[in-house]
């Protein structure tokens, strides 16, 4: 309840400023490289992020990787982008999926890196895929790496997100 129209307008403007500040902080943080990624590499950094992000949720998860060693380093640009994509997908998983279980996989062969995230949540509406800033950021990162992004969904019974990125 507001005492005046001016007070209500100031409140609304404050909320807008706060939203802008949050978006700016998010943008800046996404440009920074996490210490775990710099020091340890992609697999330990993803493993650490999953543990920190999902350990306080009710989502049970597994993380598997094939064709890449735990301590193997790949191109820095690719590592940073895959890590940021993983962060955004896990953030969406926690916030929106309603999932009880999730499976995350990273596969690498001579020609491509494949990143899979599968859950048993509620799925996603088609219009949500187009307007979400997180998915827009993910698609932009994948596009910059000449990769492919695909979401499989069957009657709101979860998602399977597949990302394919060529490697040399």
């Amino acid at each position: 309840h507001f005492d005046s129209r001016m007070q209500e307008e100031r409140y609304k403007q404050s909320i807008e400023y706060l939203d802008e500040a949050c978006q700016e902080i998010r943008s800046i943080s996404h440009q920074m490289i996490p210490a775990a990624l710099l020091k340890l590499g992609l697999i330990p950094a993803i493993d650490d992020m999953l543990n920190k992000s999902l350990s306080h949720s009710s989502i049970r998860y597994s993380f598997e990787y094939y064709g890449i060693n735990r301590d193997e380093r790949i191109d820095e640009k690719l590592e940073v982008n895959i890590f940021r994509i993983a962060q955004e997908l896990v953030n969406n998983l926690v916030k929106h999926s309603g999932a009880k279980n999730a499976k995350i996989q990273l596969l690498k062969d001579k020609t491509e890196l494949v990143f899979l995230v599968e859950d048993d949540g509620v799925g996603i509406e088609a219009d949500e895929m187009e307007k979400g800033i997180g998915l827009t950021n993910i698609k932009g990162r994948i596009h910059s790496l000449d990769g492919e992004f695909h979401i499989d969904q069957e009657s709101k019974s979860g998602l399977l997100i597949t990302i394919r990125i060529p490697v040399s």
Side-chain angles (χ1 to χ4, degrees), residues 71-88:
D71 58 351
E72 183 179 340
R73 301 307 300 254
I74 56 177
D75 176 73
E76 184 178 308
K77 179 182 176 185
L78 186 56
E79 281 188 343
V80 170
N81 279 293
I82 291 295
F83 181 80
R84 292 301 183 200
I85 289 166
Q87 267 186 319
E88 190 62 49

Side-chain angles (χ1 to χ4, degrees), residues 1 9-10 38 55 57 90 118 120 124 132 147 149 151 160:
H1 177 69
E9 290 301 317
R10 284 186 179 162
L38 277 175
S55 66
S57 77
V90 169
E118 184 175 12
D120 61 358
I124 187 169
F149 176 78
I151 296 179
L160 171 60

Side-chain angles (χ1 to χ4, degrees), residues 11 16 29 49 56 59 76 92 96 107 119 134 160-161 168:
Y11 174 79
E16 287 179 28
S29 71
M49 181 268 300
H56 300 293
I59 301 171
E76 184 178 308
N92 288 347
H96 307 296
L107 312 132
D119 70 57
L160 171 60
I161 297 171
S168 52

Side-chain angles (χ1 to χ4, degrees), residues 9 27 52 69 142:
E9 290 301 317
S27 175
K52 287 176 180 172
N69 296 323
I142 294 166

Side-chain angles (χ1 to χ4, degrees), residues 96-146:
H96 307 296
S97 76
K100 292 184 171 93
N101 300 288
K103 185 175 187 177
I104 296 96
Q105 296 181 317
L106 185 65
L107 312 132
K108 181 178 174 280
D109 66 19
K110 292 178 183 176
T111 61
E112 69 181 353
L113 189 78
V114 180
F115 187 65
L116 302 161
V117 178
E118 184 175 12
D119 70 57
D120 61 358
V122 297
I124 187 169
E125 296 291 333
D127 63 329
E128 293 296 318
M129 282 192 255
E130 300 305 317
K131 68 180 184 181
I133 191 166
L135 285 177
T136 301
N137 287 340
I138 289 170
K139 290 175 184 176
R141 287 181 184 277
I142 294 166
H143 179 75
S144 75
L145 298 168
D146 296 321

